[in-house]
Amino acid sequence: MTRQCLDKDIKITPVEGRVHVIFDDAEIASSINAMHLDEPGCPRRVYFPRADIQPGILEESETRTTCPYKGEASYCTIKTLTATGVDQVWYYPDPCPLVEPIRDMLAFWGDRIEIRYSAV
């Protein structure tokens, strides 16, 4: 399969300090190695290394979407003892060259997701 990737003014930069993911009032991720992805016309996203996510809470989903700038996204569902967030996590296992730094890093989005920042 040939992948067509378009160019866009996307910026990927390291997050300063520590960034946390709160899901349903519980911290499920914390990282000093997260990356900001700024894409014109879209909300700023934070991508986390998989190693910085609480183990055992993500289940792979069959959901896939395609972005002409980033490639095909794979999704995960968050499952904790108190809540489930269907397809609220995504990542790019084979990203377009433009966004190679976020390969296999996880982004979170949903009604019970909160991203918080703190000093290291």
Side-chain angles (χ1 to χ4, degrees), residues 21-28 78 80-85 88 110-114 116:
V21 177
I22 310 302
F23 172 70
D24 197 43
D25 296 324
E27 183 174 279
I28 61 169
I78 305 168
T80 67
L81 293 175
T82 60
T84 299
Q88 292 191 341
D111 57 349
R112 290 178 288 186
I113 299 284
E114 181 183 350
R116 295 182 187 163

Side-chain angles (χ1 to χ4, degrees), residues 86-104:
V86 177
D87 291 343
Q88 292 191 341
V89 181
W90 70 92
Y91 64 98
Y92 294 91
D94 185 26
C96 291
L98 179 66
V99 296
E100 180 63 32
I102 63 162
R103 176 183 293 273
D104 288 325

Side-chain angles (χ1 to χ4, degrees), residues 8-116:
K8 190 174 186 182
D9 187 25
I10 294 176
K11 291 184 177 39
I12 300 171
T13 56
V15 172
E16 291 186 26
R18 181 174 292 278
V19 62
H20 312 263
V21 177
I22 310 302
F23 172 70
D24 197 43
D25 296 324
E27 183 174 279
I28 61 169
S30 175
S31 182
I32 58 170
N33 297 305
M35 305 292 280
H36 277 136
L37 185 139
D38 291 301
E39 179 178 354
C42 297
R44 175 185 246 189
R45 301 290 188 212
V46 180
Y47 283 81
F48 292 78
R50 196 174 288 267
D52 294 343
I53 311 304
Q54 183 179 341
I57 64 163
L58 299 181
E59 289 185 1
E60 290 289 326
S61 165
E62 292 184 17
T63 302
R64 302 289 182 270
T65 59
T66 301
C67 170
Y69 311 107
K70 295 185 288 291
E72 184 178 85
S74 296
Y75 286 75
C76 298
T77 292
I78 305 168
K79 286 198 173 186
T80 67
L81 293 175
T82 60
T84 299
V86 177
D87 291 343
Q88 292 191 341
V89 181
W90 70 92
Y91 64 98
Y92 294 91
D94 185 26
C96 291
L98 179 66
V99 296
E100 180 63 32
I102 63 162
R103 176 183 293 273
D104 288 325
M105 294 182 81
L106 303 168
F108 295 79
W109 190 258
D111 57 349
R112 290 178 288 186
I113 299 284
E114 181 183 350
I115 304 295
R116 295 182 187 163

